[in-house]
Amino acid sequence: MRVGSGYDIHRLVPGRKLILGSVELDYPLGLLGHSDADVLTHSLCDALLGAIGLGDIGEHYPDTDPTWKDVSSLVLLADVVKKMKDTGFELINCDLTVLAQRPKISPYKAEIREKIARTLGVSIDRVNLKASTTEGLGCVGREEAIAAMSTVLVKRC
Ligand code: MG
């Protein structure tokens, strides 16, 4: 078995959609980035790449490559899942945390878990999603950014 961890943070700006786990949240600000800036999916991709020893998301999907401009991060996640299977690993579980002062994540949790579980090819009970504010502290607390952390456990097939 192997463990992996991932972290990502993106800036909140006007004029962008807010996408977390490929679900669009109803909020006046969105995350800035080259792709859809789905901070949650990015942290999960990094955790999976870490667990299988394949570096990080920036090495595989560089933001200088027009292929990944505005692409859904689930496309990246699906490709990471393929890499995981190609290297002979399967996912046991993942534990995901969104750090956001606003908006509330709870109304979207079930849909986010379902979309991620479907892309990972696992049952929904293997995808846990937590949400936390930072109690008003730091850039997340000032509602300037949203961050996400992911932990995964994989095993050899
Ligand atoms: Mg990112």
Side-chain angles (χ1 to χ4, degrees):
M1 286 191 287
R2 292 197 185 186
V3 69
S5 70
Y7 172 81
D8 197 19
I9 185 166
H10 281 259
R11 184 185 295 274
L12 278 167
V13 294
R16 293 268 303 181
K17 290 177 180 172
L18 177 55
I19 311 284
L20 292 174
S22 198
V23 173
E24 185 177 341
L25 282 70
D26 182 21
Y27 195 58
L29 306 176
L31 296 172
L32 184 63
H34 183 68
S35 63
D36 61 2
D38 183 341
V39 68
L40 178 61
T41 304
H42 290 180
S43 74
L44 175 55
C45 287
D46 258 351
L48 288 166
L49 289 169
I52 61 176
L54 280 187
D56 64 41
I57 193 171
E59 293 172 29
H60 296 276
Y61 317 104
D63 61 10
T64 49
D65 184 344
T67 312
W68 314 115
K69 176 110 177 77
D70 296 324
V71 77
S72 166
S73 293
L74 282 196
V75 173
L76 308 188
L77 181 59
D79 194 61
V80 170
V81 169
K82 185 178 179 304
K83 290 181 194 305
M84 177 177 69
K85 288 179 177 163
D86 288 348
T87 50
F89 288 96
E90 64 182 356
L91 181 70
I92 295 177
N93 75 303
C94 60
D95 188 20
L96 318 173
T97 305
V98 175
L99 297 159
Q101 195 63 38
R102 284 200 306 161
K104 283 236 168 296
I105 309 300
S106 50
Y108 303 97
K109 266 185 173 175
E111 191 181 352
I112 291 171
R113 285 178 73 199
E114 192 186 320
K115 278 202 170 179
I116 288 178
R118 201 184 308 146
T119 306
L120 291 170
V122 299
S123 54
I124 200 163
D125 63 296
R126 291 176 184 250
V127 179
N128 190 61
L129 176 60
K130 308 193 297 288
S132 181
T133 70
T134 59
E135 298 287 341
L137 296 165
C139 58
V140 169
R142 290 190 299 270
E143 300 171 26
E144 297 166 359
I146 291 179
M149 299 186 297
S150 296
T151 303
V152 304
L153 188 66
V154 301
K155 68 173 179 182
R156 276 204 192 278
C157 302

